Amino acid sequence: MIMTNKFKPAALKFGYALVQDFDYQHAWAAIQYTHMAQTLDPRCMLLIGQSGDGKTSILNRYQASCSIKKTHELSPRNVILVTATSKLSVHNFASRILRALGDPAPNTGTFASKEERLLCYKQQLGLELIIIDEFHDLLPKGYFDMRSGIVKFIKWLMIELKVSVVMSGLPLSEEILSIDEQIETRCNEIVEFTGFNMCNKEQTQRYASFIKSLMAEFPTSIRGLFSTDGSGLLRLLLATHGNKRRLKDLLIYAIQTTPDTESTTQAILHDAWTRTVSKMTRNEAKALPFSSTLKQVKSSLVDLGLYA
């Protein structure tokens, strides 16, 4: 099928579909509680997981749920989302927070003057919660301690600015709790997003439930997806290694290339797999997910630690 330069309406609808599984509900409740705690005594939380497990998606949706219609540059902002990048200094990170608050010249001034502006904006805009995505990129590489700039700044945000903080990133983000006792005692929860596997009954049910909810939004049928031998679920698991982002991308591509009046075939899924999953990830599997025998698929999943 020849691809167009626009997504089908069905592909767009599926792309925006939200599966509120247990992980999502747990993380949402934790973010909500951390946000609410700001009115008494600001707290922080950690949302950790590997890339593609859904962290950024829930952060964006939470911020959107709290957004207030902007009437001018310095409209109220109760919740802001700031993304860190590698080698970002604490000085520049303060600038990113100022930019998110609508500061007209966020890069100007000393670090102390930026803190003063943040204190003013806190009062003017009603800031309650700062969400930091890719938090691991703020942590110094190698050794760091409670005297490190980012450690002191996170404490300043809670103690002096009096806002709660959500820190989201790769699992190494958790290191900050072992460095500073004040941050550790103010951390009300650590929520971990994990990929899917079929290593036991509980994990298999979790994965199957997610796929079932996801497929409720899929516009066509996929032959054999929920077959009694589990072959459909096993093949999707091998194709994506249980990663939510890969699952979504593969299925969006399949929708885009499936003729409107037909079902999605294994051949279409195979093509979507080769187009949306990196060669490095594909090469980790010893079997082709949508054309090898079920025995070969299972064996490859065992080798990857995704099936038992």
Side-chain angles (χ1 to χ4, degrees):
M1 180 180 178
I2 298 175
M3 292 284 286
T4 66
N5 61 354
K6 291 184 178 180
F7 279 115
K8 294 179 181 178
L12 286 173
K13 181 183 177 184
F14 181 81
Y16 288 121
L18 173 66
V19 177
Q20 296 190 30
D21 58 354
F22 175 78
D23 284 354
Y24 188 98
Q25 294 170 7
H26 181 196
W28 189 279
I31 296 170
Q32 209 167 36
Y33 185 83
T34 304
H35 184 180
M36 184 174 63
Q38 183 271 337
T39 58
L40 292 174
D41 191 14
R43 291 289 183 265
C44 64
M45 67 160 283
L46 276 165
L47 175 59
I48 58 176
Q50 299 298 332
S51 296
D53 282 339
K55 301 183 301 298
T56 299
S57 176
I58 191 171
L59 299 179
N60 283 325
R61 288 179 186 265
Y62 188 83
Q63 188 209 16
S65 74
C66 300
S67 64
I68 300 170
K69 186 177 180 181
K70 296 179 182 179
T71 55
H72 52 83
E73 194 172 47
L74 290 177
S75 295
R77 288 170 173 82
N78 300 136
V79 178
I80 60 169
L81 172 60
V82 185
T83 302
T85 51
S86 182
K87 298 181 181 179
L88 183 70
S89 69
V90 178
H91 200 305
N92 289 332
F93 184 63
S95 296
R96 292 199 179 184
I97 296 176
L98 286 169
R99 184 179 295 112
L101 289 168
D103 187 284
N107 297 319
T108 60
T110 64
F111 186 71
S113 71
K114 290 179 180 181
E115 289 184 327
E116 287 300 318
R117 279 145 66 194
L118 285 172
L119 288 166
C120 290
Y121 287 137
K122 163 70 167 64
Q123 299 304 319
Q124 293 176 19
L125 308 180
L127 182 63
E128 299 166 349
L129 178 69
I130 296 176
I131 300 172
I132 307 170
D133 199 10
E134 306 294 341
F135 180 76
H136 54 273
D137 278 331
L138 284 176
L139 299 180
K141 301 298 182 282
Y143 176 80
F144 68 102
D145 58 26
M146 64 180 64
R147 294 168 295 182
S148 299
I150 185 58
V151 176
K152 292 192 287 187
F153 189 54
I154 294 297
K155 288 194 292 186
W156 184 87
L157 291 174
M158 290 187 283
I159 297 168
E160 300 297 331
L161 192 60
K162 299 189 185 304
V163 298
S164 286
V165 181
V166 173
M167 301 171 285
S168 175
L170 296 177
L172 61 89
S173 300
E174 198 172 348
E175 288 180 13
I176 196 168
L177 301 186
S178 65
I179 295 299
D180 190 274
E181 189 176 3
Q182 284 197 58
I183 295 178
E184 189 271 329
T185 56
R186 285 178 177 270
C187 182
N188 55 262
E189 191 156 5
I190 303 170
V191 178
E192 183 172 9
F193 276 7
T194 58
F196 296 114
N197 65 71
M198 297 176 72
C199 291
N200 55 49
K201 185 177 180 180
E202 181 182 355
Q203 289 297 327
T204 299
Q205 288 177 340
R206 171 176 170 259
Y207 169 54
S209 176
F210 180 86
I211 294 295
K212 188 173 182 179
S213 296
L214 193 62
M215 295 310 297
E217 303 292 337
F218 200 78
T220 69
S221 61
I222 296 179
R223 297 168 194 164
L225 180 59
F226 293 107
S227 57
T228 54
D229 62 1
S231 61
L233 293 175
L234 288 162
R235 292 179 186 281
L236 267 184
L237 183 64
L238 180 60
T240 63
H241 293 196
N243 183 277
K244 289 181 181 178
R245 183 185 296 156
R246 292 193 193 113
L247 271 166
K248 206 78 179 281
D249 288 350
L250 185 151
L251 293 172
I252 289 171
Y253 195 95
I255 294 171
Q256 193 69 8
T257 54
T258 298
D260 293 340
T261 58
E262 299 179 18
S263 298
T264 299
T265 63
Q266 298 296 305
I268 289 173
L269 291 174
H270 174 82
D271 183 52
W273 175 63
T274 61
R275 303 292 183 126
T276 62
V277 177
S278 72
K279 185 177 181 180
M280 181 178 70
T281 299
R282 297 200 310 271
N283 286 344
E284 289 178 11
K286 295 180 180 178
L288 296 174
F290 300 109
S291 55
S292 296
T293 66
L294 185 56
K295 183 178 179 180
Q296 290 170 326
V297 168
K298 287 181 177 180
S299 176
S300 187
L301 284 169
V302 170
D303 290 341
L304 291 168
L306 297 171
Y307 182 74

